[in-house]
């Protein structure tokens, strides 16, 4: 049995990741901060629900205890939960930025460290960090690139931080494979469904790194086309 925990899995890319993993025979645990939404999503997929607000160490600890009690170990952790904020640097308060980092960066560290003892019991553990190409330095400073006009201080820099978090965990945790992915610009609540790409297409990138074989890479940043520049 392969077991996966996906954070922020009640909707959007996280839900689609859970759905696709379940289709592949993985035993899925839906992490969600809202019990009603999480229970509903889990019921639709025949999955297990755990309450998990990534900014609440108590719920993270309780979620790890539940996974341990139910499954004994964890094979796949998808750090998917994230929030957006699109203000220019001059219009972004440090308070707002701190709140966003609580979810997109510190929450990832909280969840990863809490789940590590369970992941270490897996013979082939995988950690997927759901990042974004807009957090890439190379992309942000390329005047000819598609994201040059975007200048969203909190969100973009949070994903840059997440990329470094990924690289450093990957160095420490081998043979656990730790990779960052960009799902692409997908239609979800995060962007008011302005994108046209289905969430499932973005989720497929998470799934590919969640189900990596033993010969797969670690410490990479990829989208569906291949390696992205940091
Ligand atoms: N959509 C895109 O184009 C795109 C592109 C690149 C990267 N991403 C990344 O993909 C990931 C998923 O985003 P999405 O587009 O699917 O957005 P979404 O539909 O808004 O889903 C975000 C999920 O994160 C959850 N979440 C937010 N704060 C949380 C917290 N404190 N604790 C636990 N869960 C929390 C949300 O729960 P609630 O329902 O309770 O709010 C929801 O389940 C994010 O990391 C995002 O940055 C998205």
């Amino acid at each position: 049995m392969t077991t996966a925990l996906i954070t922020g899995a009640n909707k959007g890319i996280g839900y689609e990741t859970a759905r696709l993993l379940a289709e592949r025979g993985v035993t899925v645990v839906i992490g969600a901060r809202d019990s009603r939404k999480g229970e509903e999503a889990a019921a639709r997929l025949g999955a297990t629900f755990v309450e998990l607000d990534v900014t609440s160490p108590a719920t993270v600890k309780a979620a790890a205890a539940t996974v341990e009690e139910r499954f004994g170990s964890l094979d796949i952790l998808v750090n998917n939960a994230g929030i957006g904020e699109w203000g220019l640097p001059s219009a972004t308060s440090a308070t707002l930025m701190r709140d966003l980092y609580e979810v997109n960066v510190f929450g990832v560290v909280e969840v990863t460290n809490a789940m590590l003892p369970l992941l270490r019991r897996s013979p082939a553990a995988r950690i997927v960090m759901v990042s974004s190409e807009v957090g890439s330095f190379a992309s942000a400073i390329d005047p000819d690139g598609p994201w040059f006009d975007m200048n969203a201080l909190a969100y973009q820099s949070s994903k840059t931080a997440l990329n470094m978090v990924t690289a450093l965990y990957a160095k420490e945790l081998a043979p656990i494979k730790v990779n960052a992915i960009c799902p692409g610009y997908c239609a979800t609540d995060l962007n008011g469904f302005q994108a046209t790409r289905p969430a499932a297409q973005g989720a497929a990138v998470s799934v590919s790194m969640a189900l990596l074989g033993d010969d797969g890479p670690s410490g990479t940043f990829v989208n569906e086309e291949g390696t992205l520049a940091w």
Side-chain angles (χ1 to χ4, degrees), residues 9-204:
N10 53 287
K11 67 179 182 184
I13 294 166
Y15 176 80
E16 290 300 324
T17 303
R19 188 178 63 76
L20 293 174
L21 284 171
E23 267 179 25
R24 300 282 294 268
V26 173
T27 300
V28 165
V29 182
I30 300 275
R33 60 179 166 172
D34 180 300
S35 297
R36 186 184 54 79
K37 292 184 200 167
E39 296 274 18
E40 280 174 12
R44 282 200 297 278
L45 297 176
T48 299
F49 160 70
V50 288
E51 185 186 339
L52 199 166
D53 181 334
V54 302
T55 67
S56 158
T59 68
V60 173
K61 204 171 157 208
T66 302
V67 172
E68 179 168 32
E69 194 182 299
R70 293 285 300 274
F71 305 106
S73 64
L74 185 65
D75 301 292
I76 297 166
L77 169 64
V78 183
N79 282 306
N80 167 83
I83 54 175
E85 158 56 40
W86 318 113
L88 289 167
S90 61
T92 302
S93 70
T95 301
L96 191 152
M97 196 165 168
R98 208 172 282 124
D99 288 348
L100 188 131
Y101 271 59
E102 286 291 346
V103 179
N104 291 9
V105 185
F106 308 141
V108 171
V109 175
E110 190 77 41
V111 173
T112 302
N113 287 346
M115 299 301 159
L116 257 184
L118 303 177
L119 289 160
R120 284 195 162 114
R121 289 179 200 161
S122 166
R126 308 285 181 254
I127 301 174
V128 180
M129 309 292 201
V130 182
S131 184
S132 171
E133 194 179 352
V134 304
S136 155
F137 268 107
S139 161
I141 61 173
D142 175 5
D144 301 320
W147 300 108
F148 188 71
D149 290 338
M150 191 177 189
N151 215 7
L153 178 66
Y155 184 75
Q156 288 181 256
S157 67
S158 76
K159 294 301 189 184
T160 312
L162 178 60
N163 284 353
M164 181 60 92
V165 166
T166 304
L168 300 185
Y169 269 117
K171 284 204 291 184
E172 183 194 348
L173 297 186
I176 297 176
K177 295 186 192 296
V178 188
N179 291 287
I181 69 102
C182 175
Y185 188 44
C186 298
T188 68
D189 271 332
L190 190 86
N191 49 46
F193 292 87
Q194 283 179 43
T196 51
R197 190 180 156 86
Q201 203 178 335

